[in-house]
Amino acid sequence: MSDMFRESEHLIHRVSLLTANSEILLKVLLKTLCIAPNLPTFMRSNSEIEELCIELLDTTTSILFEVVLCAAEHPTYDSNLNLSGTIQILEQNFSTFGVLFGKIVERGLHLVSRTVNPAGTLPLYHVFYLVEILSSNSSLCRQQLRRDHTEDVRYYCSNPELKIQRYSPLQTITIECIRKLLRHIS
């Protein structure tokens, strides 16, 4: 799905795909993305399954990034494909989306906890763009971020320039997203 979005060079093609059939596809897609993988305790020790869950979370983050980016960059006020409509759909499913949002934040903190090479900046950017834009536009996301992740975000993200290698393609905008996020939790 995320590859399909990237293959559509023009934003209008992405938007028309998401708004087809009176935004039913968008609503179903967002509701489906809200379901975070939850493994029984006895399966968590299996490293292969853990890797698959991380891959699923990264893919979910990438697709959610593309949808939120389309909504933020192409506000169609007569449909749900605008940022407030997209966030409203996510908030309607916050019992499941809140779990996913927490896992996305934790994944971002894990990624930023070590030095990020140039190839690792794209998933890092996806995570922090999403977390920053959702926490700045959704009171539920902002409350959860402040309640559950404030200390970790401050600890791991205090000096993002030191974590992201110079000359990484997305270094500047990723650091900007992290700084905005730090302002949200202050």
Side-chain angles (χ1 to χ4, degrees):
M1 183 68 116
S2 61
D3 290 340
M4 179 187 67
F5 278 119
R6 283 191 208 102
E7 288 176 9
S8 303
E9 290 182 21
H10 302 287
L11 181 62
I12 195 69
H13 297 299
R14 295 177 187 180
V15 171
S16 64
L17 174 71
L18 289 171
T19 57
N21 295 326
S22 302
E23 294 87 29
I24 292 172
L25 174 65
L26 176 65
K27 291 175 184 175
V28 170
L29 176 64
L30 290 175
K31 286 179 183 180
T32 305
L33 290 176
C34 288
I35 302 169
N38 194 6
L39 294 176
T41 309
F42 70 91
M43 293 182 77
R44 291 183 185 160
S45 60
N46 186 333
S47 62
E48 185 178 333
I49 291 175
E50 283 183 28
E51 287 178 30
L52 288 172
C53 285
I54 290 170
E55 185 178 332
L56 178 61
L57 180 62
D58 289 345
T59 302
T60 300
T61 303
S62 180
I63 294 169
L64 192 57
F65 167 83
E66 295 290 343
V67 171
V68 169
L69 184 67
C70 282
E73 290 188 358
H74 190 274
T76 26
Y77 299 104
D78 59 335
S79 73
N80 278 328
L81 192 63
N82 57 54
L83 195 54
S84 64
T86 302
I87 288 175
Q88 182 180 16
I89 294 169
L90 293 172
E91 286 181 339
Q92 289 170 352
N93 299 287
F94 203 76
S95 59
T96 54
F97 177 66
V99 174
L100 176 65
F101 181 73
K103 289 184 181 203
I104 291 172
V105 171
E106 290 168 7
R107 180 72 176 139
L109 295 174
H110 173 76
L111 291 172
V112 82
S113 68
R114 58 194 198 291
T115 303
V116 180
N117 62 24
T121 46
L122 183 62
L124 189 69
Y125 173 65
H126 284 178
V127 166
F128 283 104
Y129 174 85
L130 263 178
V131 173
E132 189 277 320
I133 202 148
L134 290 173
S135 63
S136 65
N137 292 286
S138 166
S139 61
L140 293 174
C141 289
R142 188 172 38 258
Q143 288 170 3
Q144 181 179 349
L145 184 68
R146 287 179 178 160
R147 183 185 65 237
D148 299 340
H149 304 287
T150 298
E151 294 305 316
D152 291 335
V153 170
R154 284 186 182 146
Y155 178 78
Y156 288 111
C157 299
S158 59
N159 291 313
E161 313 72 34
L162 302 176
K163 307 278 183 172
I164 303 171
Q165 289 182 356
R166 287 185 106 159
Y167 310 114
S168 294
L170 299 170
Q171 177 192 24
T172 306
I173 57 176
T174 304
I175 290 171
E176 182 181 322
C177 285
I178 291 172
R179 287 193 177 132
K180 286 180 183 177
L181 182 62
L182 286 167
R183 286 192 293 268
H184 289 303
I185 61 170
S186 297

